[in-house]
Amino acid sequence: MRRYRAKLQRSRCFLLSVTLILVQGMQAQQAFKSPPRNVTVRAGARAQLNCQVLRATGVVQWVKDGLLLGPQRDLPGFPRYSITGDKTKGEFHLLIENVTLEDDAPYECQVGQSVSSPAIISQTVWLTVQIPPMKAYIELESAEPWIAGKEYTVMCTAPNAKPAAEITLLKDGIELTDLDSVTLSGSEDKLVNTQAEVRVKAVSADHGRYLVCKAKNPALTTAVMDTKVMTVYFPPPAPVIEGLDSSTPVKAGSTLKLLCLSHGGNPLASLQWTKDGELLSSSWEEDVSGRISRSKLVLAVMPEDNQVLLQCESVNQVSQAPLFISQLLTVYFEPVKIDLLGTFEAAEGQTVTLCCHTSSSNPPVNIRWWLGIRELNTAIQFVSKGENGGMTTMSNLTHTVSHEDNGLHLVCEAVIEGTQFSKSTSKPLNVFYPPQRVWLDNPPVGVPLQSGQSLRLLCLSSGGNPPGQLTWFKNGKAAQGTSKQVNLERGVSRDLRFILHPSDNLAIYRCDVTNQAKKVLSAQTRLKVQFAPIKVEIVVKQSVLRRGDTVSLLCLCGSSNPKANVSWTVGPNRLRGIEMAGKPAEYGGVSFKSTLSLTLTSRHHQERVTCKAFSELLSEGVSSSYTLNVHWLNKGLSGMLVLVGVVNSPEFNADMPKDVRALEDDVVYLPLMVSANPKVTTCDWIYLGKKIVEADLRYSWDSDFVLKIRNVTRHDAGVYTVECANEEGQNRISTVLHISYAPRIKMKLDLVHVDMGGTIDLMCEVEANPVVSGMFTWKWLGDGDIDLEHQHEDGTTGWLTLFNVTRAHSGSYQCDVDNGIYPPASVRTQLVVLFKPQLRKGPQWSKVTAHGDDASSVDLVCQAEGIPKVHFSWAKNGMDMDFSGDTTRYAEHTVRVGPVHTSTLHIENVSARLDYAIFTCTASNTLGDDSVDIQLLSTSRPEPPSNLRLLHVSNDSVTLEWQPGFNGGFTQKFRIRYHWMGSISYHYVDVFPPSTTVYTVRGLLPATTYNFSVNAINDMGESDFADGNTFLTVTTKAEDSAVYPGPPGNADFTEPLGVWHYVFMISVSAILLPLSCMSCLLLRRWKKHQSQTGERSIISKGQDKTKTERFTDTPSRYTSTELNTASTVETNSTVYESYDSGGCHYYYPTEELTNTLYTDEAEHQEPHGHEYEEVSNEAIQQNLQHFSEISAPSDPLFGFQPWSGKDHIFDVHGGNLNGHNGERRNGLFTEYPSPTMNSKIPFELAGELV
């Protein structure tokens, strides 16, 4: 550089010398018009140094760094250099092509000396060449991957640049500051290297991101750069677990499918599962592209897993410690067993304490107590810790039992709230409760009985658990002779049979019943027994009786009830004694005395004096005899007593009767006619081989040995033998006693079974005397007529034969027997006809609706008749249902009332997905079975009725009957539609009451053919018409006479229809037909206007204002016009109109105008699919008021009369009601004129025009 400057200085001196010499010789001087200027250019570009000289006369050339380039314009030796410009203009510009670093030098433009001008030299200018850096490159401190969190040095170098490059370092697009930059010499002179370094802290987000070094100097328009991808090792974050919600417990027995995910980490994490520190799994998989490590765990959940710590760990080679996520596993598990402890037997009113204990469960169960279908809420529940982190539940129930609880199952139900778990155990509760009632089957109180009669007192008790034990008492002491207690269907009975005795008079017979409930119920009766004197005794005070003495005989009559009469007999003579006043005696009777005074003669010797106490009421008496032993001295010849006699053994009189007849319970005498000499000393009566003794109070005999039997019974009948003896020997004779008695009857079988269609004999057997022909008769005690012709009898057996038995034969039959002895006897038997089950079927039994909202419940009812007992089974969509296990949603209950068996399937939490199905109910017994399908479905419109048929037709009414279809789950009502030839519309009648299926349509024309149909309506809409939308054609009968109704008060209007009548009717029809069409057209236009405005108006005449109400414009088939009614009770609607092929249809309701089916609030709630509108267009109505209107027929069904004297009431076709004009609507009464009634307007136009 110094050398170049020295050369340049010498050149200047030389030129200056030359210039001075030339100047001295010139007059015009040369000068620089445009001197050169500094130029900066990028290497490889073109550079031009401008030089323009005025009046150039010398040689112009460029000097580069002191080196003359030469005067030639193409500058030989310098191929990239040339002189350009217009020489004539003095332009000598230096042009350098493809500038390189060697062109970077100082330059001068020199003009040599000429003759006229000295040399001139321009100022030195510099051509500065800019060299871009060759490249930029990044150098890292280490080739190993970075570790997140540590700092590393990053160096960027931009070599061989001129001027020095500016370096920018970016990390992930963000410029790094605090660079330390230095410049160093480049590989060539004038070139420099730039180095920049910075400290970088590695973070995990840097992984895979770029480090960028940008180098730029003025020689570059775009910086050169170098990039490196950062590899950063960083630990993974804590893993996450999918498939397990910490807030949601899992159920034991289920399978958990869990996924542990570790997002990020470099390298990707390794995973492992542990459960309470125990390794479960150490396998995982890596998703490199998604930078995720996954580990799947399939875990069969057991109760032991409750409250275990489930943990997933993640770790890689730069992790300081494993990271993990832990979840405490909450396992819901059910109790394994339920124990029901306590005493299940108690007396009514006692309190039982029961305990229900469950094994460990999670969550703890809630114990509910049920007694039958009733829940008991008197339990105290305790919860304590159990196994596997669960809880055990113990519930103590204190319950005071009543007899209604007997036999009910006491159920302990363990329920886990929020789950479907329900498990129960039960035991029957045996409640001891006292009998509900005890009563006696005894003679009415106060009705007298007779001693010696056989009496049966029957004690019956109903209710009680166990059945009561009956005990008989007489006057507080246990009675003897009671029978064995008999168990009845609903109680027990025990009878007491005994022969009435005088001691039974005023005796209290009490029957006590008690059982384990230890409560005694009693029923008692007091008997009133009439009895003859207990005894009669004759007392004679004199010890020796002598002729001529007066003897006083005292007759002591023992107690009797009522008081007996006394008679005396001495031999064959009857005498009258003196009776003393009676006095109370034992057994509630009366005793008295009677005396007889007798003057003795010899004739009285050996005569029998008899005192007889006789009860006329009882026709029974007691007597006592005394034989007079009169001493006398019979004086004869020579004072000798001569005894003359014949000695023989006893002989019986041939006139003695061999047969004796008597009625049961009477007193009978067996006569004895015997003679003997010496006299008979003894006579013994023998019956059934045994000697009769007087110890038996029923038997007695007098001194003549005549046998008296009191209260004779049928068991006393037979052969009686009397054996008499004297000193000479003995003899015997027999008498046959015949007892006649009323029949005693019994059925051979009290309950008789027979298969339907079979033959059965009902037999009754009788014990009676006499047995007579024709004494058996049979009765049917049921409803209807039964053939009882086949009655037979054979001696003491009678029977009724029934052939081809049907169910109508089931019931009670009575066998009556009358043999002429009062009272006749009767007995009943029950005939049970066995038949296979017969299920009730039909639309209302085959479909049931319920909301499938998982909250509602429903009962499916299946009812069958059958004998013997019917058993039910259920199937769902053909699959048998089992109710024996633990079910929470399905329960079946069967109730039997006689032959009717009802099975109810109860479904809880009805699900549309699970329970909308076909349930098949099968009823079966030993004779067969029957099935019915019951479909559970959602609510819907009703199904059409069916089997529409005619019951009765008259000249103005038709009675129809139909079978209802399925009601769709709502209460349905029915509507009858009808029309006739010539009618311009259908007529509709709402059936009332709504649920009836028999209805009479009234107000019809005689001799007219009508077409009837019926459909059903419920809250969901209406059905099609019955029988596939067919109709029933009925022709009313003709009237008996040509009498036609006239105006009110004109009862004599009987003019027959003449030709002019028909002409008039045709004319009126010709006028009305266009009017009706016009009215329909106007109505359609009005309705269209109404539907557009969405308003309806009620125009009130006389008030000059319109009330507008909003309504919803919905498609409707019927519209209605309200009645003009004077009643304070609003009617529902009157006339419905529908359009079908241009016709106008009217509907006339049949409700009684003074009453309504709906309240004011429900007045406008019409069936779905109908919009009832009011008609406020009076102009159309008034057009029709010029015509006379037909009077309405009376409606006897509702008691509605269209005419009622002066204050006449018009019918539903319009008019005045009780003198008021207008209608009542939502509490407002609207007045308008009433039309004039007449009989000649067509029936279908007799109402308001719609």
Side-chain angles (χ1 to χ4, degrees), residues 457-483:
L457 298 179
L458 179 63
C459 181
L460 300 103
S461 172
S462 63
N465 182 45
Q469 183 66 34
L470 299 173
T471 305
W472 278 101
F473 295 91
K474 177 182 178 181
N475 292 329
K477 297 181 179 180
Q480 302 296 323
T482 58
S483 65

Short mmCIF file of all heavy atoms in Angstrom, two decimals, residues 457-483:
data_model
loop_
_atom_site.label_atom_id
_atom_site.label_comp_id
_atom_site.label_asym_id
_atom_site.label_seq_id
_atom_site.Cartn_x
_atom_site.Cartn_y
_atom_site.Cartn_z
N LEU A 457 -125.78 -78.76 72.13
CA LEU A 457 -125.28 -77.39 72.12
C LEU A 457 -123.98 -77.36 71.31
O LEU A 457 -123.06 -78.15 71.59
CB LEU A 457 -125.02 -76.87 73.53
CG LEU A 457 -126.24 -76.78 74.46
CD1 LEU A 457 -125.81 -76.27 75.83
CD2 LEU A 457 -127.31 -75.87 73.87
N LEU A 458 -123.94 -76.49 70.33
CA LEU A 458 -122.77 -76.41 69.44
C LEU A 458 -122.08 -75.09 69.68
O LEU A 458 -122.69 -74.01 69.61
CB LEU A 458 -123.19 -76.52 67.97
CG LEU A 458 -122.06 -76.44 66.94
CD1 LEU A 458 -121.08 -77.60 67.12
CD2 LEU A 458 -122.63 -76.43 65.53
N CYS A 459 -120.82 -75.17 69.97
CA CYS A 459 -119.98 -73.98 70.17
C CYS A 459 -119.08 -73.84 68.95
O CYS A 459 -118.39 -74.79 68.56
CB CYS A 459 -119.16 -74.10 71.44
SG CYS A 459 -118.11 -72.66 71.76
N LEU A 460 -119.09 -72.65 68.37
CA LEU A 460 -118.27 -72.40 67.18
C LEU A 460 -117.41 -71.18 67.45
O LEU A 460 -117.83 -70.21 68.09
CB LEU A 460 -119.13 -72.14 65.94
CG LEU A 460 -120.07 -73.27 65.53
CD1 LEU A 460 -121.48 -72.93 65.96
CD2 LEU A 460 -119.99 -73.52 64.03
N SER A 461 -116.21 -71.26 66.92
CA SER A 461 -115.27 -70.15 67.05
C SER A 461 -114.63 -69.91 65.69
O SER A 461 -114.25 -70.86 65.01
CB SER A 461 -114.20 -70.47 68.09
OG SER A 461 -113.19 -69.48 68.08
N SER A 462 -114.53 -68.66 65.33
CA SER A 462 -113.89 -68.30 64.06
C SER A 462 -112.63 -67.50 64.34
O SER A 462 -112.54 -66.79 65.34
CB SER A 462 -114.85 -67.48 63.19
OG SER A 462 -115.17 -66.26 63.81
N GLY A 463 -111.71 -67.60 63.40
CA GLY A 463 -110.47 -66.85 63.51
C GLY A 463 -109.55 -67.46 64.54
O GLY A 463 -109.76 -68.55 65.06
N GLY A 464 -108.52 -66.67 64.80
CA GLY A 464 -107.54 -67.11 65.77
C GLY A 464 -106.42 -67.89 65.12
O GLY A 464 -106.61 -68.62 64.16
N ASN A 465 -105.25 -67.71 65.65
CA ASN A 465 -104.10 -68.47 65.19
C ASN A 465 -103.26 -68.82 66.40
O ASN A 465 -102.77 -67.94 67.12
CB ASN A 465 -103.25 -67.66 64.22
CG ASN A 465 -102.07 -68.46 63.72
OD1 ASN A 465 -102.20 -69.63 63.36
ND2 ASN A 465 -100.90 -67.84 63.70
N PRO A 466 -103.08 -70.10 66.70
CA PRO A 466 -103.75 -71.22 66.04
C PRO A 466 -105.23 -71.24 66.41
O PRO A 466 -105.67 -70.48 67.26
CB PRO A 466 -103.01 -72.44 66.62
CG PRO A 466 -102.57 -71.97 67.96
CD PRO A 466 -102.22 -70.52 67.82
N PRO A 467 -106.00 -72.10 65.76
CA PRO A 467 -107.43 -72.15 66.11
C PRO A 467 -107.61 -72.39 67.61
O PRO A 467 -106.82 -73.07 68.26
CB PRO A 467 -107.96 -73.33 65.28
CG PRO A 467 -107.01 -73.42 64.13
CD PRO A 467 -105.67 -73.04 64.67
N GLY A 468 -108.66 -71.79 68.15
CA GLY A 468 -108.86 -71.85 69.59
C GLY A 468 -109.22 -73.24 70.09
O GLY A 468 -109.65 -74.13 69.35
N GLN A 469 -109.03 -73.42 71.38
CA GLN A 469 -109.41 -74.65 72.06
C GLN A 469 -110.71 -74.37 72.83
O GLN A 469 -110.77 -73.47 73.66
CB GLN A 469 -108.30 -75.09 73.03
CG GLN A 469 -108.57 -76.40 73.73
CD GLN A 469 -108.60 -77.57 72.75
OE1 GLN A 469 -107.86 -77.58 71.77
NE2 GLN A 469 -109.45 -78.54 73.01
N LEU A 470 -111.74 -75.12 72.49
CA LEU A 470 -113.06 -74.90 73.06
C LEU A 470 -113.25 -75.79 74.30
O LEU A 470 -112.88 -76.97 74.30
CB LEU A 470 -114.15 -75.22 72.03
CG LEU A 470 -114.12 -74.37 70.74
CD1 LEU A 470 -115.12 -74.91 69.74
CD2 LEU A 470 -114.42 -72.92 71.05
N THR A 471 -113.85 -75.18 75.35
CA THR A 471 -114.12 -75.91 76.58
C THR A 471 -115.53 -75.55 77.06
O THR A 471 -115.89 -74.36 77.11
CB THR A 471 -113.11 -75.54 77.68
OG1 THR A 471 -111.79 -75.76 77.18
CG2 THR A 471 -113.33 -76.40 78.92
N TRP A 472 -116.31 -76.58 77.39
CA TRP A 472 -117.69 -76.38 77.87
C TRP A 472 -117.69 -76.39 79.39
O TRP A 472 -117.00 -77.18 80.04
CB TRP A 472 -118.61 -77.49 77.35
CG TRP A 472 -119.10 -77.27 75.96
CD1 TRP A 472 -118.64 -77.84 74.82
CD2 TRP A 472 -120.17 -76.41 75.58
NE1 TRP A 472 -119.34 -77.40 73.74
CE2 TRP A 472 -120.31 -76.51 74.18
CE3 TRP A 472 -121.03 -75.56 76.27
CZ2 TRP A 472 -121.26 -75.79 73.46
CZ3 TRP A 472 -121.99 -74.85 75.56
CH2 TRP A 472 -122.09 -74.96 74.18
N PHE A 473 -118.52 -75.48 79.96
CA PHE A 473 -118.70 -75.41 81.40
C PHE A 473 -120.19 -75.35 81.71
O PHE A 473 -120.97 -74.74 80.96
CB PHE A 473 -118.03 -74.15 81.98
CG PHE A 473 -116.54 -74.16 81.85
CD1 PHE A 473 -115.93 -73.60 80.73
CD2 PHE A 473 -115.73 -74.72 82.84
CE1 PHE A 473 -114.56 -73.59 80.60
CE2 PHE A 473 -114.37 -74.72 82.72
CZ PHE A 473 -113.77 -74.16 81.60
N LYS A 474 -120.56 -76.02 82.79
CA LYS A 474 -121.93 -75.94 83.30
C LYS A 474 -121.86 -75.34 84.69
O LYS A 474 -121.26 -75.93 85.59
CB LYS A 474 -122.59 -77.32 83.34
CG LYS A 474 -124.00 -77.29 83.93
CD LYS A 474 -124.62 -78.67 84.01
CE LYS A 474 -126.00 -78.64 84.64
NZ LYS A 474 -126.61 -79.97 84.73
N ASN A 475 -122.46 -74.18 84.79
CA ASN A 475 -122.44 -73.45 86.05
C ASN A 475 -121.03 -73.32 86.60
O ASN A 475 -120.78 -73.50 87.79
CB ASN A 475 -123.36 -74.11 87.08
CG ASN A 475 -124.82 -74.01 86.70
OD1 ASN A 475 -125.23 -73.04 86.05
ND2 ASN A 475 -125.62 -75.00 87.09
N GLY A 476 -120.08 -73.04 85.68
CA GLY A 476 -118.71 -72.79 86.08
C GLY A 476 -117.86 -74.01 86.23
O GLY A 476 -116.64 -73.90 86.47
N LYS A 477 -118.41 -75.19 86.08
CA LYS A 477 -117.64 -76.42 86.20
C LYS A 477 -117.58 -77.11 84.84
O LYS A 477 -118.52 -76.99 84.05
CB LYS A 477 -118.26 -77.36 87.25
CG LYS A 477 -118.27 -76.79 88.66
CD LYS A 477 -118.87 -77.78 89.64
CE LYS A 477 -118.86 -77.23 91.06
NZ LYS A 477 -119.45 -78.18 92.03
N ALA A 478 -116.46 -77.78 84.61
CA ALA A 478 -116.30 -78.45 83.33
C ALA A 478 -117.44 -79.42 83.09
O ALA A 478 -117.79 -80.22 83.97
CB ALA A 478 -114.97 -79.19 83.28
N ALA A 479 -118.01 -79.32 81.92
CA ALA A 479 -119.15 -80.16 81.58
C ALA A 479 -118.66 -81.50 81.07
O ALA A 479 -117.58 -81.62 80.46
CB ALA A 479 -120.02 -79.48 80.53
N GLN A 480 -119.43 -82.51 81.32
CA GLN A 480 -119.12 -83.86 80.86
C GLN A 480 -119.85 -84.14 79.57
O GLN A 480 -120.91 -83.58 79.29
CB GLN A 480 -119.51 -84.89 81.94
CG GLN A 480 -118.83 -84.67 83.27
CD GLN A 480 -117.33 -84.83 83.19
OE1 GLN A 480 -116.83 -85.69 82.46
NE2 GLN A 480 -116.61 -84.00 83.94
N GLY A 481 -119.28 -85.04 78.79
CA GLY A 481 -119.96 -85.49 77.59
C GLY A 481 -119.67 -84.66 76.36
O GLY A 481 -120.41 -84.73 75.37
N THR A 482 -118.61 -83.86 76.42
CA THR A 482 -118.28 -83.07 75.24
C THR A 482 -117.63 -83.96 74.19
O THR A 482 -116.91 -84.91 74.50
CB THR A 482 -117.33 -81.92 75.60
OG1 THR A 482 -116.16 -82.46 76.20
CG2 THR A 482 -118.00 -80.96 76.57
N SER A 483 -117.85 -83.60 72.93
CA SER A 483 -117.28 -84.36 71.82
C SER A 483 -115.89 -83.84 71.50
O SER A 483 -115.42 -82.84 72.06
CB SER A 483 -118.19 -84.25 70.60
OG SER A 483 -118.22 -82.91 70.14
#
